[in-house]
Each structure stands twice: as structure tokens, then as C-alpha cells.
Amino acid sequence: MMKLRNNKVLIFGGGSGIGKAIAQRFLEGEAQVMITGRTMSKLEKTAQELNSARLHYAAFDVSNVSAHGEIFAIAEEKLNGLNAFVNTAAIGTSAVCGEDRVWEPFDITEKEWDVLTDTNFKGAYFLMRNEILYLKERGIRGNILNFASNAAYMGISGQYGAAKLAVSRWTRFFGNQYGHDGIIINGIAPGAVITPMTKTYAKSVDQPFPRHALGRLIRPDEIAELAFYLMSNYGEIICGHTVVADAGDYMVNY
């Protein structure tokens, strides 16, 4: 029977979109879950909608690297232990640069680049590193699931695609390195999923989307089901890999 390999899970970026869908799926799998995000109102709304005594939440910004240990400790207390992490937190370029600008590569400013990098690159690296140290120091055979993007494999220059390619490579290196300690690290690189980050063009699963071979957009719950598998007792045979779940996006060149 497939079940979560570890069931005390801290989800970064769990207030909406893919992170929220993963929280819901893991709660269905009897996990204890804590979600974090930068906006408390989003977390409160999600907690009300999911309506589970096993769901907890706290406001947190992954770019605050020095406080990673503090949020781990809060999760450990709320969940009565901590043995798994899901890293979905990211900032889309349009959220920083605006929806109407041609931002990559020549329109983005140094300040905008730094804001994006603090979360998508620096924050992502140190979060993964600190999660590994947390598990290793305690001898926990844990799970870490990172989120890249199929933008990592497109011919796109700029911050977002570069940061997500780095996440994929870190997943490979650290997954190979620490699988020997029972720490299973994998990733997912989604295509166009219907989330707040893609709201400018992704409206409905019924909307035609010819860039995908399937001809449609991806639902968050479809990604959540893949996340459940990768963090299950069956999913540990995949170690150090990033699964590209992009519905056959023709822009991707592996």
C-alpha cells in the first residue's frame, strides 16, 4: 500500500497554488502538515478551506536565511516532530517586474534581480542545505522535495530560468550525496499550472493551451499527486532526480 514515507511535513509556499494542493493531498494521506508563506491572510484562508486539525501555519519568508532554524523548531513543536520538507516557495518575475514589461534579459533592473535571487536562488539553496543538516544531525531518514520549473530547460535567459536550473542541479548533487543517509531528495519541474503565479494567462483547465502536447493547462492537484508519489514509500527508488511534469511542452529542450 502506498503511503507517505514521512508524515510530519513542513511546506514552504503552502498558502496557495501547488503548495496548497500538496498540503491538501498530504492531509488526505494522514500527514501532520505545517504550511508557511509570506502573507498571513493567505495562510489563514487556506487553513479555513482545508479545515483540518492536523494543519498548522506560520508566516515566513525563505529569503530570511538566518531564521531557517527558527521555523524548523516551530514546525517541530507544532507537528510533534519533523521529518519532511516541501520547497515550493518562489517569486514569479511578473510579481517583481510587473506584468506588462519585457523583462528578460535587458529590461530587468539590478534591484529587481536581487529581490528575485534572494528567494529563488539564495533562499532555495540555503533552505535545502539547512534541511539536510537538520535531518542528518538528528539521524532522520527524511524527505526533501524541491520545486524547479520547466523554464529551467527552455532557451530562456534571465533570473527565473537560471535559478530553477540551479535547483534541479542541486537536487541531483545533494540527492546522490545524502541518499546513503536515507535522506531522499527529489524535485518537480512543472509546466504551466493554474496558480496565482500564472494568472495572467492560465485561467481554466478547459482553456486551450497548444504549447502543451496535451493541449491544456495542468491542475495543481495533478502535481500534488506526483508529489505524494515521490515522497511515498514507493517513491524512494527515485533519488536525486527532478521530474519534468510539463504535459509535453514544445518549448522544452532537454
Side-chain angles (χ1 to χ4, degrees), residues 24-35:
Q24 181 175 0
R25 180 65 183 91
F26 283 18
L27 289 168
E28 292 168 359
E30 303 299 320
Q32 297 277 342
V33 177
M34 185 169 122
I35 58 174

Side-chain angles (χ1 to χ4, degrees), residues 93-127:
T93 309
S94 62
V96 176
C97 301
E99 296 176 356
D100 300 324
R101 285 175 50 202
V102 181
W103 47 267
E104 287 192 293
F106 300 112
D107 193 35
I108 192 169
T109 68
E110 182 179 359
K111 183 177 180 180
E112 290 165 343
W113 180 280
D114 288 343
V115 171
L116 290 164
T117 297
D118 280 348
T119 295
N120 296 343
F121 190 86
K122 186 183 78 172
Y125 175 82
F126 282 100
L127 190 61

Side-chain angles (χ1 to χ4, degrees), residues 48-145:
Q48 291 173 358
E49 291 175 358
L50 299 186
N51 190 28
S52 171
R54 288 181 279 104
L55 178 65
H56 309 269
Y57 59 91
F60 188 73
D61 187 340
V62 299
S63 68
N64 187 3
V65 171
S66 64
H68 287 173
E70 296 174 21
I71 198 66
F72 296 170
I74 292 170
E76 184 178 13
E77 180 180 0
K78 288 181 178 291
L79 305 178
N80 193 28
L82 178 60
N83 51 26
F85 301 88
V86 178
N87 302 324
T88 70
I91 300 178
T93 309
S94 62
V96 176
C97 301
E99 296 176 356
D100 300 324
R101 285 175 50 202
V102 181
W103 47 267
E104 287 192 293
F106 300 112
D107 193 35
I108 192 169
T109 68
E110 182 179 359
K111 183 177 180 180
E112 290 165 343
W113 180 280
D114 288 343
V115 171
L116 290 164
T117 297
D118 280 348
T119 295
N120 296 343
F121 190 86
K122 186 183 78 172
Y125 175 82
F126 282 100
L127 190 61
M128 190 190 331
R129 188 201 70 172
N130 292 336
E131 290 165 350
I132 292 168
L133 291 175
Y134 175 91
L135 295 170
K136 189 169 173 56
E137 289 169 358
R138 291 160 178 78
I140 298 171
R141 297 174 67 84
N143 283 80
I144 298 172
L145 182 64

Side-chain angles (χ1 to χ4, degrees), residues 187-203:
I188 298 176
V193 183
I194 305 168
T195 70
M197 189 182 290
T198 60
K199 64 182 180 181
T200 57
Y201 65 90
K203 309 294 184 182

